[in-house]
Amino acid sequence: LDEQLCDEWTCWSHELPGGHVASVVRGPVGAAQDEEGAFRATFGHPALPADELAARLAARPPPFVAVTVRDLVPEHRRADYDASAAPEGAPWTPPPPPAQRGEPEPL
């Protein structure tokens, strides 16, 4: 940060199909910027002891899983989403899995 090594942060980049990259940055939860407080209200642990933060930063992150927007829609609302995402009068069909499209599986 500002040309200084900051030991409280780690960054992992994941290569995605199609030449895309997703980066996941981890750092102290107290540094999260959230003017309205809605994001921070979801934190299970609003602060971590220094030793636990250091251990989490040293650990590899969990595997990155690419999901579609549809995957984020609660199951009980997917029919509504499908209807809104499909061309008028056509049923929505999910895309084939990455392997069937000739793409590597998600990291």
Side-chain angles (χ1 to χ4, degrees):
L1 181 63
D2 295 327
E3 299 183 26
Q4 298 292 321
L5 180 62
C6 188
D7 294 334
E8 294 182 319
W9 293 88
T10 59
C11 179
W12 294 87
S13 294
H14 305 271
E15 186 176 352
L16 302 176
H20 299 282
V21 175
S23 294
V24 178
V25 178
R26 294 164 38 175
V29 293
Q33 300 296 308
D34 182 20
E35 194 171 308
E36 296 178 11
F39 176 61
R40 293 186 93 173
T42 67
F43 291 2
H45 302 283
L48 294 175
D51 59 336
E52 185 176 348
L53 174 62
R56 289 183 181 210
L57 293 175
R60 288 191 63 84
F64 187 84
V65 178
V67 297
T68 66
V69 171
R70 185 177 187 274
D71 293 330
L72 301 174
V73 175
E75 201 165 319
H76 71 279
R77 298 298 310 266
R78 286 194 182 152
D80 294 332
Y81 175 82
D82 292 347
S84 69
E88 192 169 329
W92 183 86
T93 56
Q100 289 180 6
R101 295 190 310 255
E103 299 175 5
E105 289 295 321
L107 302 174

